[in-house]
Amino acid sequence: MPRVTAPSLCQRKQVGDKIAMLTAYDFPSAKLMDESGVDVILVGDSCAMAVMGRPDTLSVTMEEMLHHTRIVAAAAHRALVVADMPFLSYQVSPEDALRNAGRFVAEAGAQAVKLEGPADKFGDAIRAILRAGIPVMGHIGLTPQSVHQFGGYKVQGRDEANRQRLIEEARGLEAAGCFAVVLECMPAPLAAEITALLTIPTIGIGAGPDCDGQVLVMHDMLGLGIHTKFCKQYADLAGVMRGAFEAYVHEVKAGSFPDAEHAYQ
Ligand code: KIV
């Protein structure tokens, strides 16, 4: 199977072929996703909340993100691996942004990076990264690194001014050279309008069915994370895992594990 690439995702939009993206932070999950036909694996800064037990994404560091990206990149042979640039890794200066994006590619094996926010703030950072040959995915709407500015995890673009702002931000990211843009938590009709306006693919999360692709946080869709209105739960892994742990504890305490089948004679 040929590797999914940033340019090939743009071609998908032209033929109406939807893009399936999920987050992963570990080897077995990334390997299963790759084998299951997931097109894009995002090593999201959501790992702070999904696997590190932190209250938000703001504290995750470059070193932590590099560690998880290296693991995921080793597992994915077909899917495009996108590394999420953590808080303060691209906001301070375009030079910093380029150096950190370059580390994801050179040291960890990512094929693209994602950063949150509009081009009027981060256009210089995006262009610096692109000049080095690294594809950039944009991300607008509810951008979790700005949670304190939003005053919580709230649906964006509900009033006319914010609706117009998000349309301009999406256009700005396309003009800056992003190969795709994540639209997070916005009304479905607004995401549909942005999708129709852009030539690059939109990847929705809580943005309705008309985006060119969808992304979910793996732990949430497997029932191991946060319940939200937009995240369909495809499995109850928490129930499966709890059942296995309880059965193990019971059998160890009862002396029925290990039995003859699981012991060397
Ligand atoms: O970090 C993340 O998982 C993300 C997705 C929600 C798009 O940015």
Side-chain angles (χ1 to χ4, degrees):
M1 273 290 208
R3 168 84 75 177
V4 177
T5 63
S8 73
L9 289 181
C10 294
Q11 288 159 12
R12 295 263 196 106
K13 176 165 179 135
Q14 285 157 21
V15 292
D17 200 358
K18 295 260 188 183
I19 299 159
M21 169 163 142
L22 283 174
T23 65
Y25 324 109
D26 69 278
F27 189 92
S29 308
K31 184 168 184 290
L32 285 170
M33 283 177 196
D34 200 52
E35 291 167 358
S36 306
V38 172
D39 299 304
V40 184
I41 303 180
L42 172 68
V43 188
D45 61 357
S46 52
C47 69
M49 298 167 86
V51 298
M52 295 172 179
R54 300 189 190 164
D56 53 46
T57 60
L58 296 169
S59 63
V60 74
T61 64
M62 266 304 293
E63 298 311 317
E64 287 168 331
M65 290 301 298
L66 283 166
H67 170 78
H68 287 281
T69 304
R70 214 173 273 125
I71 290 167
V72 168
H77 301 293
R78 176 189 167 270
L80 179 77
V81 175
V82 180
D84 213 3
M85 298 198 66
F87 184 54
L88 293 189
S89 70
Y90 60 93
Q91 290 94 336
V92 178
S93 70
E95 291 75 19
D96 247 22
L98 170 56
R99 193 164 296 112
N100 287 321
R103 290 190 72 193
F104 278 120
V105 175
E107 295 177 33
Q111 292 110 38
V113 296
K114 176 172 86 56
L115 57 81
E116 297 181 8
D120 58 3
K121 286 186 187 154
F122 304 118
D124 289 343
I126 292 169
R127 282 182 285 271
I129 298 169
L130 288 171
R131 268 198 302 276
I134 302 169
V136 180
M137 179 180 278
H139 183 165
I140 56 168
L142 172 55
T143 43
Q145 290 177 17
S146 305
V147 60
H148 297 311
Q149 202 165 45
F150 293 138
Y153 296 98
K154 297 175 184 167
V155 177
Q156 301 295 303
R158 283 209 190 272
D159 61 62
E160 187 49 30
N162 280 309
R163 219 182 68 79
Q164 280 306 329
R165 177 180 56 81
L166 286 173
I167 292 171
E168 289 317 312
E169 287 184 1
R171 282 193 160 129
L173 288 173
E174 173 166 86
C178 288
F179 72 94
V181 59
V182 170
L183 305 180
E184 179 161 351
C185 277
M186 63 181 68
L190 172 57
E193 190 177 341
I194 292 174
T195 301
L197 282 170
L198 300 190
T199 57
I200 57 170
T202 59
I203 315 282
I205 174 163
D210 296 314
C211 297
D212 299 302
Q214 297 291 328
V215 56
L216 288 175
V217 171
M218 182 196 83
H219 290 71
D220 299 345
M221 60 95 77
L222 293 181
L224 287 170
I226 304 164
H227 291 279
T228 50
K229 175 177 167 55
F230 64 77
C231 184
K232 179 171 173 183
Q233 201 177 306
Y234 284 82
D236 175 24
L237 281 205
V240 172
M241 289 172 76
R242 189 173 286 115
F245 298 150
E246 286 173 359
Y248 170 74
V249 168
H250 176 80
E251 290 189 8
V252 168
K253 290 188 187 295
S256 56
F257 175 82
D259 53 11
E261 189 190 340
H262 297 98
Y264 299 109
Q265 302 306 322

